[in-house]
Amino acid sequence: MIHVQDIAKRYGSIEALRGVSFDIKPGEIVGLLGPNGAGKSTAIKIITGFLHPDSGLVEIDGLNVLKDLRAVQAKIGYLSENTPLYPELSVQAYLSMIADLRALPSSAVTRLLSEAIYGTGLQAYLTRPIASLSKGLRQRLGLAQAILHKPQFLILDEPTVGLDPTQIVEIRALIRSLAAGSTILFSSHILSEVEAICDRVIIIINGEVKADQSLRELSMSNRATLVLQRDNSDVAPALGALDGVTSIRPIRSLDDFPAYRIDGAADITPQVYALARDRDWPLRELRRDAVTLEAFFNQLATTA
């Protein structure tokens, strides 16, 4: 549904994007991550047609963004990091104006306005001027305008900034529900939000895609932790003899039992379990260690 192929963009001597490519399938919620200046905002602007790439191709639902811009933008709902709002308008007047600009059919306007307003919890603020709204309420209004026309593609740049914890939970649920009818690209600096909402992450660093994988795959490492009731002298040599084991390090568990951290070329927990059973080791715990998105992101960012 979203096809990005070898897009590049330069600002003078600075290469903002260098051959960025990825695909997003229908119904996916994909997180777009990167440190400040990595190129993710440039990528979003190119995908939405607000900026032309120096080279490369972007297609939305089979349409070329450069050649079919109006048709593409009609399919997109976009919440920018700083959504342009008109402070003198009321919430209702602003959303009605967006409905007019979107040329929504008159027979559907009332229903679509109602769904966007109730979906973002703005029903108590319809007559309030935008200038009087808190940052969180303005953020919800920006999301309401993005979803008003039931877009096939929803691009959200920092959608939970300024929201309180209760509002964040509500917006998470709303974004999840929108995935039933929209493909969502979600950009945020709050990694816990990406983990809570997204199915997959694309990480851009120095203008290049450094990672593109599902969060489920990313969370599972090839490191295992073995905890024993008591230590045996044959444990370390036997573990080292297993196929695929790259390193072994003795540690102490949190409850002070002898333990080993084992790295492998692939998941080696089945082999370790079989070995412990065959050797009759007093096994207390065996687990495949998980990797947090924060740890994975920081590792990429510091080694780039």
Side-chain angles (χ1 to χ4, degrees), residues 137-279:
L137 287 172
R138 292 186 187 200
Q139 194 72 0
R140 284 197 266 170
L141 180 57
L143 185 55
Q145 67 79 27
I147 66 174
L148 180 59
H149 58 300
K150 299 287 186 183
Q152 287 179 259
F153 311 97
L154 194 55
I155 297 177
L156 307 175
D157 197 357
E158 303 289 353
T160 58
V161 168
L163 302 183
D164 64 37
T166 301
Q167 292 166 348
I168 287 173
V169 171
E170 292 170 353
I171 294 299
R172 278 183 192 170
L174 174 60
I175 292 171
R176 276 284 181 193
S177 69
L178 291 170
S182 299
T183 299
I184 300 174
L185 184 61
F186 180 101
S187 179
S188 178
H189 285 95
I190 305 172
L191 299 185
S192 59
E193 286 304 296
V194 175
E195 282 188 303
I197 292 172
C198 298
D199 307 310
R200 179 175 139 225
V201 291
I202 297 168
I203 299 177
I204 296 178
I205 299 176
N206 296 329
E208 298 179 318
V209 174
K210 297 295 184 180
D212 181 355
Q213 61 188 114
S214 75
L215 280 168
R216 190 173 184 278
E217 291 171 348
L218 182 150
S219 66
M220 301 309 298
S221 71
N222 291 330
R223 171 174 288 177
T225 296
L226 172 69
V227 182
L228 300 175
Q229 196 74 28
R230 61 180 183 278
D231 211 353
N232 285 356
S233 59
D234 67 331
V235 173
L239 290 172
L242 289 174
D243 289 339
V245 170
T246 56
S247 70
I248 303 164
R249 182 161 62 93
I251 58 173
R252 303 296 294 186
S253 68
L254 291 176
D255 43 6
D256 209 35
F257 285 93
Y260 294 86
R261 187 150 289 152
I262 311 151
D263 287 303
D267 177 20
I268 39 81
T269 49
Q271 294 169 264
V272 173
Y273 175 75
L275 180 65
R277 183 189 56 200
D278 292 344
R279 297 293 182 98

